[in-house]
Amino acid sequence: MKTTTATAALFAVVSSTASAFSAPAAPVILPGEVDTTPAFAASTFPISPSDLINRAKQILSPEIGIGTKDSGACLATDFEFVAAVVGPIGREEYLDALGGFKLEESFDIEQNTFGFTVDPLQPNRVWWYGRQISTQIAPFMGAEPSTDSSTELTLPPQSFHMDFNEEGLVKEFGFYTVDRRQGNTGGLGGAFGYFYGVGKPLPIRECQPYKPSFKFRMLGLIGKIGKKLSKKE
């Protein structure tokens, strides 16, 4: 009886705490948070934020494919591709690389993009996120599709960006993993995630899941030893 009463009391406390949240009546503005309205009003970049986001989505569409389906017509002559460990590489090298490397022929890819926004401090840049989920449908890097139709590659969340010039051509495109603990590709994004996901990682350190260096591990160990010694004093 006492146990039942205690459990009921605990549940009541948890329930009251959970229901105690109420949204602020007015938007919360943090110290140092950019007020985007005056920031965009002061911008001299000729393309408005809404038009720039639409332009980015147009270039991401299957009809253009970030320059791979329009023979690079959407890319500026000084275009560069840059990722965490790849690049920067120029326009022609980028087109040559992707021309012979077509993930969509081997995978059914759900891009799952969201959060498109223009950078108020760099108004020619569009940011967005993607959480790709892919199913292999054809051979890739010598790996055959799994017979288990439920097998999926889930890449970690990635942050993407696209910079434009005043003519609406892409000057820079890139992406970075933002949470390496998620997904099943060893925390690797982009093509490296697909290599790893099918069991064919390239034999270089950059194509392997993150592992702290020996020096970094030793630094952490020294810090732990120092804390233990200080507690004994």
Side-chain angles (χ1 to χ4, degrees):
M1 185 68 175
K2 289 183 179 179
T3 301
T4 303
T5 303
T7 301
L10 178 61
F11 180 77
V13 171
V14 172
S15 298
S16 63
T17 302
S19 61
F21 172 78
S22 60
V28 177
I29 306 298
L30 297 173
E33 182 177 352
V34 177
D35 189 340
T36 58
T37 300
F40 289 136
S43 170
T44 58
F45 191 68
I47 305 175
S48 71
S50 59
D51 287 343
L52 202 64
I53 289 173
N54 281 332
R55 176 59 173 159
K57 291 180 178 180
Q58 180 185 44
I59 290 172
L60 289 168
S61 70
E63 292 75 23
I64 296 180
I66 321 176
T68 61
K69 302 298 175 59
D70 67 346
S71 300
C74 68
L75 308 179
T77 56
D78 59 347
F79 168 85
E80 289 185 325
F81 169 81
V82 60
V85 297
V86 177
I89 61 175
R91 183 178 186 274
E92 299 308 319
E93 186 179 354
Y94 165 82
L95 291 173
D96 288 344
L98 292 189
F101 183 76
K102 299 177 180 178
L103 286 173
E104 68 271 14
E105 293 183 355
S106 298
F107 297 91
D108 180 11
I109 304 174
E110 294 180 29
Q111 296 291 348
N112 294 322
T113 55
F114 62 96
F116 286 83
T117 188
V118 172
D119 191 326
L121 302 183
Q122 186 182 339
N124 72 323
R125 170 170 289 197
V126 177
W127 294 97
W128 71 96
Y129 292 95
R131 302 190 65 142
Q132 291 182 4
I133 299 176
S134 302
T135 301
Q136 188 177 0
I137 57 176
F140 178 73
M141 299 292 292
E144 295 292 330
S146 172
T147 55
D148 183 357
S149 59
S150 65
T151 301
E152 294 180 331
L153 296 185
T154 302
L155 273 68
Q158 299 175 93
S159 172
F160 297 81
H161 72 270
M162 194 177 287
D163 296 354
F164 293 86
N165 64 18
E166 295 185 351
E167 287 73 42
L169 299 178
V170 183
K171 287 175 58 67
E172 181 176 304
F173 170 65
F175 57 88
Y176 301 84
T177 293
V178 295
D179 188 348
R180 59 183 170 82
R181 298 176 64 188
Q182 296 199 24
N184 59 7
T185 61
L188 300 169
F192 292 175
Y194 286 88
F195 295 150
Y196 182 86
V198 300
K200 299 290 184 177
L202 298 181
I204 56 176
R205 184 175 182 178
E206 289 79 4
C207 280
Q208 307 296 327
Y210 169 75
K211 181 180 179 180
S213 67
F214 174 78
K215 290 182 179 180
F216 189 74
R217 295 197 302 272
M218 289 300 99
L219 184 63
L221 179 60
I222 292 171
K224 290 179 179 179
I225 294 174
K227 286 184 178 179
K228 288 183 178 181
L229 292 177
S230 64
K231 289 180 179 179
K232 293 179 179 181
E233 293 179 355

